[in-house]
């Protein structure tokens, strides 16, 4: 008779053949037996520890979502006879299932699928686990080619899990699926769910294989949790940078140049403001900006090693049988060329070369996503040539720069150490030394074990510290990176003369702070919902004339604002004042001044901010001075007039 140790420390004997669920409370939806998730119907054969799995917990949500995916697949098969189903995993905050269907689907079809799911859930049929032979499974799945393919690839895994020539099926009513489980005891446990979207997805993620229909959904332990999640999704959709990019006329994505954004005047003002701040801060810290050709002969990339490691992601331009060019996907080889234009002395080190050139990477079309994943982008790069004894001090300086940059945007970040990948170049001893240096730096700056480690995630030429940034929704984004490189300067023959006259190879630190400016702007748009701080706003103050006769007065005021360094806009449209104020709100204008006869006569104005707060009786000079100070200091918080 197996003896079970429960979560609360008590022990109980389980009668032979009894499932583990019989000793758990009724709110349990699964069990963790000796560290492995199991159905409540699991029958232990030996002593062990049992932990209850509840729906609101991480493991419980995983089981809920996996089970909901099965119910959705059953509903789809009921509604679309002949459907071929592929995979349906639980994912963060939800689930999906991929299908080959007899007709295309859209979001308009989701309510009918949901309705059928609710019928199946109301029937509350159990999830029944079955272990059957691989040959029997093949017979059951004869009309499901994607499952047959999975089955063929499962031989090793099935033998390991089942201990023989068996695989696991889960049956819910008259529908069964090849699956390892676990699942909820019965479908009635699945109350709070919602189907959210329909998308295309290539089978096994390969664009050369069939494109399937992927249906996404979400499932939660309670309706309140689901409602909160859906509200969050609505807010994320409201802040979607692609939507706001169109509405605010920031950028344009055209099918004639996929993944290569057009920057419209408003968007380019944001880009230029970011670059102006970047240049100001780098000049202050002793960086020297360079610019290099966007097209290079492939011999440059062969020397650096990128041709072997990165060629498939490059735009290659063959000229003749002897010459091949490529658009540059990164700046590091060009920085090595600049270092080598003349002999260097140790007195020049650290030599901090920065650049903001345009880069191109031939990303697969299916991965492109607004500004977050593009083919053409600007990267705020720098390559710092140093001596080995300058490494740790230089990293401290870079982290100080990171603090300055992210703090000004109200963003937080966490470092992540990425170590030697399988395709690394150079000797292991040098790699080990470089990784030890980075660990020492991180331990001192952030504390021991206060950073993530991604084994094998480094660049092919050196380990790196990636900067993971969180936005307004606590979504993580990999932005900046700081890479320690002993390899490329050797490959390019970079040397400097030390104090004794000996020629030595420098160490190079590759680093970006913004990362891709396109991605950074996308995150800023969503983080701020398009309401940029004043210093970044495409327009900083909008003038609304009450009547056509006030347009000239507004133009004069705008000229004074422009002389003070602000970016003004005059709304001279034929709309009513109310509609003009509404247009200013939609344009996310930080401040609006309505100009009429009384304002002109009094020489004072009412300032309306983005939140709708109005402060009357302000002298124009005081308004412009306050906004100029807000923009100059790059303040996050708006000016509070009269506060």
């Amino acid at each position: 008779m197996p003896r079970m140790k429960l979560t609360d420390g008590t022990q109980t004997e389980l009668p032979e053949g009894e499932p583990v669920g019989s000793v758990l409370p009724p709110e349990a939806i699964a069990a963790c037996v000796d560290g492995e998730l199991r159905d409540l119907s699991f029958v232990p054969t030996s002593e062990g520890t049992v932990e209850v799995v509840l729906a609101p917990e991480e493991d419980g949500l995983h089981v809920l979502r996996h089970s909901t995916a099965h119910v959705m697949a059953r509903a789809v098969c009921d509604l679309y006879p002949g459907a071929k189903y592929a995979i349906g995993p639980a994912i963060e905050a939800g689930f999906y299932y991929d299908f080959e269907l007899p007709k295309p689907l859209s979001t308009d079809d989701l309510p009918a699928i949901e309705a059928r799911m609710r019928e199946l859930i109301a029937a509350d049929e159990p999830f029944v686990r079955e272990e059957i032979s691989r040959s029997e499974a093949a017979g059951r799945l004869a009309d499901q080619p994607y499952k047959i393919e999975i089955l063929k690839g499962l031989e090793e895994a099935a033998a390991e899990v089942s201990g023989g020539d068996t695989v696991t099926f889960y049956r819910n009513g008259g529908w069964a699926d090849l699956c390892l489980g676990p699942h909820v005891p019965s479908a009635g446990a699945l109350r709070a769910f919602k189907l959210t979207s329909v998308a295309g997805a290539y089978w096994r993620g390969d664009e050369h294989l069939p494109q399937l229909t992927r249906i996404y959904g979400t499932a939660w332990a309670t309706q309140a949790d689901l409602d909160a999640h859906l509200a969050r999704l609505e807010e994320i959709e409201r802040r979607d940078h692609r939507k706001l990019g169109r509405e605010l006329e920031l950028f344009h994505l055209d099918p004639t140049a996929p993944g290569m954004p057009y920057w419209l005047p408003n968007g380019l003002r944001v880009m230029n403001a970011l670059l102006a701040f970047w240049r100001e801060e780098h000049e202050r810290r002793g960086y020297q900006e360079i610019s290099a050709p966007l097209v290079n002969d492939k011999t440059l990339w062969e020397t650096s090693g990128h041709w072997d490691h990165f060629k498939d992601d490059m735009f290659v331009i063959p000229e003749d049988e002897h010459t091949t060019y490529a658009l540059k996907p990164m700046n590091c080889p060009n920085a090595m060329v600049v270092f080598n234009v003349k002999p260097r002395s140790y007195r020049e080190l650290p030599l901090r070369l920065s650049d903001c050139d345009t880069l191109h990477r031939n990303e697969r079309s299916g991965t492109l996503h607004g500004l977050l994943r593009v083919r053409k982008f600007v990267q705020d790069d720098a390559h710092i040539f140093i001596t080995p004894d300058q490494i740790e001090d230089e990293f401290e300086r870079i982290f100080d720069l990171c603090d300055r940059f992210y703090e000004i945007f109200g963003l937080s970040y966490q470092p992540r150490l990425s170590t030697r990948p399988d395709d690394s170049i150079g000797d292991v001893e040098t790699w080990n030394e470089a990784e030890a240096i980075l660990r020492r730096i991180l331990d001192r700056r952030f504390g021991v074990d206060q950073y993530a480690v991604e084994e094998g995630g480094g660049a092919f030429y050196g380990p790196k510290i990636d900067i993971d940034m969180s936005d307004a929704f606590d979504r993580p984004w990999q932005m900046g990176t700081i890479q320690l490189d002993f390899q490329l300067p050797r490959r390019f023959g970079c040397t400097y003369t030390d104090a004794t006259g000996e020629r030595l190879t420098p160490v190079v630190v590759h680093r970006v702070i913004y990362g891709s400016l396109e991605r950074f702007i996308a995150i800023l748009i969503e983080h701020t919902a398009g309401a940029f701080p004043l210093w970044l706003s495409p327009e900083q103050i909008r003038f609304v004339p009450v009547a056509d006769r006030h347009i000239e007065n507004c133009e004069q005021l705008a000229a004074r604002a422009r002389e003070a360094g602000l970016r003004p806009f005059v709304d001279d449209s034929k709309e009513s004042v109310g509609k003009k104020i509404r247009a200013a709100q939609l344009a996310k204008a930080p401040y609006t001044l309505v100009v009429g006869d009384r304002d002109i006569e009094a020489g004072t104005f009412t300032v309306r901010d983005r939140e709708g707060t109005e402060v009357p009786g302000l002298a124009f000079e005081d308004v412009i001075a306050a906004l100029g100070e807000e923009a100059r200091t790059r303040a996050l918080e708006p000016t509070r007039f009269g506060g």
Side-chain angles (χ1 to χ4, degrees):
M1 186 176 292
R3 178 175 291 273
M4 299 283 101
K5 182 179 180 181
L6 305 181
T7 308
D8 61 4
T10 61
Q11 295 193 11
T12 184
E13 289 188 344
L14 196 65
E16 294 289 343
E18 281 292 310
V20 68
S22 64
V23 296
L24 296 179
E27 61 268 24
I29 64 167
C32 188
V33 181
D34 294 331
E36 186 174 351
L37 276 178
R38 296 284 193 178
D39 301 297
L40 293 181
S41 60
F42 173 70
V43 178
T45 57
S46 60
E47 294 186 359
T49 59
V50 179
E51 298 177 56
V52 62
V53 174
L54 302 175
E57 299 170 344
E58 182 178 353
D59 284 344
L61 288 172
H62 176 87
V63 173
L64 272 178
R65 290 163 182 164
H66 191 190
S67 301
T68 309
H70 274 237
V71 172
M72 179 181 75
R74 181 182 174 188
V76 169
C77 290
D78 287 350
L79 294 172
Y80 302 95
K84 313 299 182 188
Y85 46 100
I87 56 172
I91 56 175
E92 184 180 0
F95 58 88
Y96 68 80
Y97 217 114
D98 290 345
F99 303 92
E100 180 185 307
L101 297 172
K103 57 167 283 188
L105 287 194
S106 72
T107 53
D108 293 338
D109 298 298
L110 298 184
I113 299 173
E114 285 184 353
R116 178 56 182 153
M117 290 173 68
R118 296 193 191 284
E119 292 174 356
L120 296 173
I121 289 168
D124 196 21
E125 293 176 306
F127 279 88
V128 179
R129 187 176 191 271
E130 302 175 300
E131 287 190 8
I132 62 176
S133 69
R134 197 171 291 113
S135 59
E136 183 180 348
R140 289 193 188 185
L141 298 169
D143 62 344
Q144 296 295 329
Y146 301 104
K147 291 296 183 182
I148 290 292
E149 187 174 328
I150 293 171
L151 185 63
K152 288 178 180 177
L154 272 181
E155 293 192 11
E156 260 183 51
E160 181 180 336
V161 172
S162 304
D165 186 34
T166 59
V167 292
T168 307
F169 263 67
Y170 275 84
R171 179 166 43 81
N172 179 243
W175 191 84
D177 196 6
L178 178 70
C179 179
L180 287 174
H183 287 285
V184 295
S186 64
L190 311 174
R191 299 291 183 184
F193 73 91
K194 178 72 176 174
L195 302 187
T196 55
S197 62
V198 177
Y202 291 109
W203 172 232
R204 298 195 180 279
D206 188 337
E207 60 189 3
H208 303 294
L209 295 178
Q211 187 175 56
L212 306 179
T213 298
R214 176 170 293 179
I215 303 176
Y216 284 98
T218 187
W220 295 83
T222 67
Q223 187 63 41
D225 290 342
L226 173 62
D227 291 342
H229 177 71
L230 294 177
R232 182 175 184 271
L233 291 183
E234 287 179 7
E235 180 64 12
I236 290 174
E237 183 177 357
R238 185 180 74 84
R239 292 173 179 243
D240 189 307
H241 76 279
R242 296 165 298 179
K243 172 177 174 289
L244 289 172
R246 289 189 300 272
E247 293 174 357
L248 301 178
E249 297 184 11
L250 298 172
F251 62 91
H252 169 68
L253 295 169
D254 197 86
T256 61
M260 301 182 186
Y262 284 72
W263 285 105
L264 305 179
N266 284 344
L268 198 57
R269 289 187 184 104
V270 176
M271 171 80 79
N272 287 339
L274 289 170
L275 289 174
F277 172 60
W278 181 88
R279 289 191 168 99
E280 178 184 309
E281 293 295 328
H282 283 70
E283 283 283 345
R284 184 178 293 134
R285 289 167 171 80
Y287 285 80
Q288 302 178 63
E289 188 173 355
I290 63 172
S291 183
L294 301 185
V295 179
N296 295 99
D297 190 284
K298 75 170 185 176
T299 55
L300 182 75
W301 311 107
E302 288 173 335
T303 301
S304 68
H306 288 95
W307 195 254
D308 291 332
H309 293 82
F310 212 81
K311 180 177 64 175
D312 291 343
D313 296 313
M314 298 169 70
F315 286 101
V316 176
I317 311 168
E319 185 169 272
D320 55 41
E321 65 270 24
H322 306 294
T323 308
T324 299
Y325 291 98
L327 287 171
K328 69 174 179 178
M330 67 279 297
N331 294 303
C332 28
N334 301 100
M336 306 297 157
V337 172
V338 172
F339 183 88
N340 284 339
V341 298
K342 68 176 185 178
R344 303 288 182 177
S345 164
Y346 72 97
R347 293 187 180 90
E348 297 178 68
L349 308 185
L351 177 62
R352 304 181 181 99
L353 301 177
S354 62
D355 63 81
C356 288
D357 282 347
T358 299
L359 303 177
H360 291 81
R361 295 183 184 174
N362 192 12
E363 303 282 0
R364 292 164 57 187
S365 60
T367 66
L368 301 177
H369 182 77
L371 297 181
L372 291 169
R373 193 69 176 264
V374 291
R375 287 172 167 165
K376 178 188 78 75
F377 59 98
V378 173
Q379 185 167 280
D380 68 314
D381 225 334
H383 296 85
I384 307 166
F385 296 80
I386 53 178
T387 63
D389 61 355
Q390 293 171 333
I391 293 173
E392 297 193 24
D393 180 64
E394 195 62 31
F395 268 78
E396 289 293 336
R397 290 172 179 268
I398 293 170
F399 278 122
D400 288 343
L401 191 58
C402 289
D403 291 343
R404 166 68 174 148
F405 267 69
Y406 296 138
E407 182 180 343
I408 204 167
F409 299 105
L411 298 166
S412 60
Y413 76 90
Q414 290 292 326
R416 170 168 43 93
L417 174 64
S418 297
T419 62
R420 182 167 65 90
D422 292 336
D423 63 345
S424 63
I425 61 175
D427 58 279
V428 175
E429 291 75 16
T430 300
W431 272 88
N432 290 341
E433 176 189 354
E435 289 177 11
I437 292 170
L438 296 190
R439 288 182 187 275
R440 189 160 62 244
I441 291 168
L442 288 169
D443 288 347
R444 183 173 63 247
R445 181 90 185 197
F446 299 95
V448 178
D449 297 328
Q450 297 303 303
Y451 51 89
V453 178
E454 182 182 353
E455 298 293 348
F460 69 87
Y461 47 77
K464 59 179 179 171
I465 298 172
D466 289 321
I467 304 298
D468 292 330
M469 190 173 69
S470 298
D471 66 10
F473 295 99
D474 290 326
R475 294 176 299 184
W477 301 96
Q478 196 268 302
M479 298 302 300
T481 186
I482 315 168
Q483 304 170 351
L484 185 57
D485 177 14
F486 289 84
Q487 309 301 334
L488 293 195
R490 294 177 183 174
R491 295 175 73 102
F492 278 91
C494 299
T495 61
Y496 66 94
T497 303
D498 72 2
T500 67
E502 184 179 357
R503 303 296 295 175
L504 300 175
T505 300
V507 180
V508 174
V509 177
H510 309 235
R511 51 111 290 213
V512 296
I513 306 298
Y514 289 136
S516 155
L517 268 291
E518 280 73 5
R519 173 177 285 190
F520 192 83
I521 290 173
I523 292 169
L524 274 183
I525 292 170
E526 297 188 358
H527 186 70
T528 64
F532 296 111
L534 184 71
W535 69 277
L536 277 177
S537 293
E539 70 171 80
Q540 296 169 322
I541 181 169
R542 177 172 289 213
F543 296 92
V544 173
V546 172
D548 287 351
R549 66 180 180 274
H550 303 120
I551 292 176
E552 184 177 349
N553 302 99
C554 288
E555 294 287 3
Q556 292 170 355
L557 294 172
R560 290 165 62 184
R562 194 175 291 108
E563 288 173 3
L566 295 172
R567 294 187 287 274
F569 176 78
V570 176
D571 185 348
D572 58 1
S573 67
K574 301 299 183 182
E575 300 292 348
S576 67
V577 170
K579 287 186 176 180
K580 289 180 181 180
I581 291 175
R582 175 59 177 160
Q585 292 175 323
L586 293 175
K588 314 286 186 181
Y591 299 97
T592 301
L593 266 68
V594 178
V595 179
D597 291 333
R598 293 181 182 178
D599 307 288
I600 296 167
E601 291 169 6
T604 60
F605 300 87
T606 297
V607 176
R608 178 188 178 92
D609 67 19
R610 223 166 359 209
E611 297 171 358
T613 302
E614 294 184 347
V615 179
L618 297 173
F620 187 69
E621 291 76 10
D622 294 340
V623 173
I624 294 304
L627 299 192
E629 178 67 9
E630 182 183 333
R632 185 188 63 77
T633 58
R634 299 185 172 94
L636 266 178
E637 294 298 320
T639 299
R640 299 299 179 190
F641 292 101

